[in-house]
Amino acid sequence: SQKIEQNSEALNIQEGKTATLTCNYTNYSPAYLQWYRQDPGRGPVFLLLIRENEKEKRKERLKVTFDTTLKQSLFHITASQPADSATYLCAPNTGFQKLVFGTGTRLLVSP
Amino acid sequence: GAVVSQHPSRVICKSGTSVKIECRSLDFQATTMFWYRQFPKQSLMLMATSNEGSKATYEQGVEKDKFLINHASLTLSTLTVTSAHPEDSSFYICSASSSGTGAEQPQHFGDGTRLSIL
């Protein structure tokens, strides 16, 4: 069955450093993959989308890579700030406009 | 732009009650809406996909008679949890995709409904 894996342990980093979050998937080949941010008690917020034919996508301090051979996406936040503290969800597509979500990785940025 | 409003944000009710949750796209037309369920520290589990004017498509293991979905317009979808029991207590979240062409539409989420059945 399709499986999405994200680090379940929280990632603690210091302000100003680069945070790198990993998403691995198995048993299928998504055409695209999306990343979302979720704060406690709130719905997820869309951040970035990357297609299978794209190696890298950037938006301000965010960068996403997509390696279809490794079946992995990496999500980077450069110059991290305490306000970046949240849970980040990886979501490859499984069909037309349909996504499957990972459990998310909680990021804690300390001042 | 792309704001989705979900109401109510929290419901506490007795076992056996039916509960209706509304999901509205405020500034765009949503061809497709999705309903998810999320348990603490777990991922969002897709329950059903709802297209305006047609019957919802339910995921395997989700009882369609238990979770009634109506998508009567391009801006409103409702989820009714019928005869709710304590095991139905969860965080329910809706999302909407705009009527763009192609499959790569981001989903815009509401802020969820915390349902607690006593």
Side-chain angles (χ1 to χ4, degrees), chain A residues 27-59:
Chain A
N27 296 328
Y28 77 121
S29 299
Y32 59 91
L33 187 149
Q34 300 183 14
W35 281 88
Y36 289 78
R37 168 185 173 140
Q38 186 174 24
D39 290 285
R42 307 292 299 272
V45 175
F46 171 74
L47 297 174
L48 279 170
L49 178 152
I50 187 165
R51 299 176 182 86
E52 61 179 340
N53 61 349
E54 297 175 320
K55 295 292 185 185
E56 182 180 297
K57 185 72 75 74
R58 290 176 186 260
K59 179 182 176 183

Side-chain angles (χ1 to χ4, degrees), chain B residues 31-102:
Chain B
T31 311
T32 306
M33 286 186 170
F34 303 87
W35 287 95
Y36 295 85
R37 184 172 179 175
Q38 187 176 34
F39 291 103
K41 297 187 179 180
Q42 294 190 24
S43 64
L44 282 78
M45 299 300 298
L46 180 64
M47 298 174 66
T49 302
S50 144
N51 291 293
E52 183 264 338
S54 61
K55 289 184 180 179
T57 302
Y58 290 81
E59 295 299 302
Q60 193 172 10
V62 178
E63 298 176 57
K64 61 180 181 180
D65 295 329
K66 173 76 171 176
F67 299 99
L68 300 179
I69 291 172
N70 183 280
H71 192 162
S73 76
L74 282 172
T75 59
L76 174 64
S77 177
T78 61
L79 167 68
T80 301
V81 184
T82 61
S83 187
H85 292 287
E87 59 267 26
D88 298 322
S89 298
S90 189
F91 191 52
Y92 292 88
I93 313 178
C94 72
S95 71
S97 291
S98 62
S99 309
T101 56

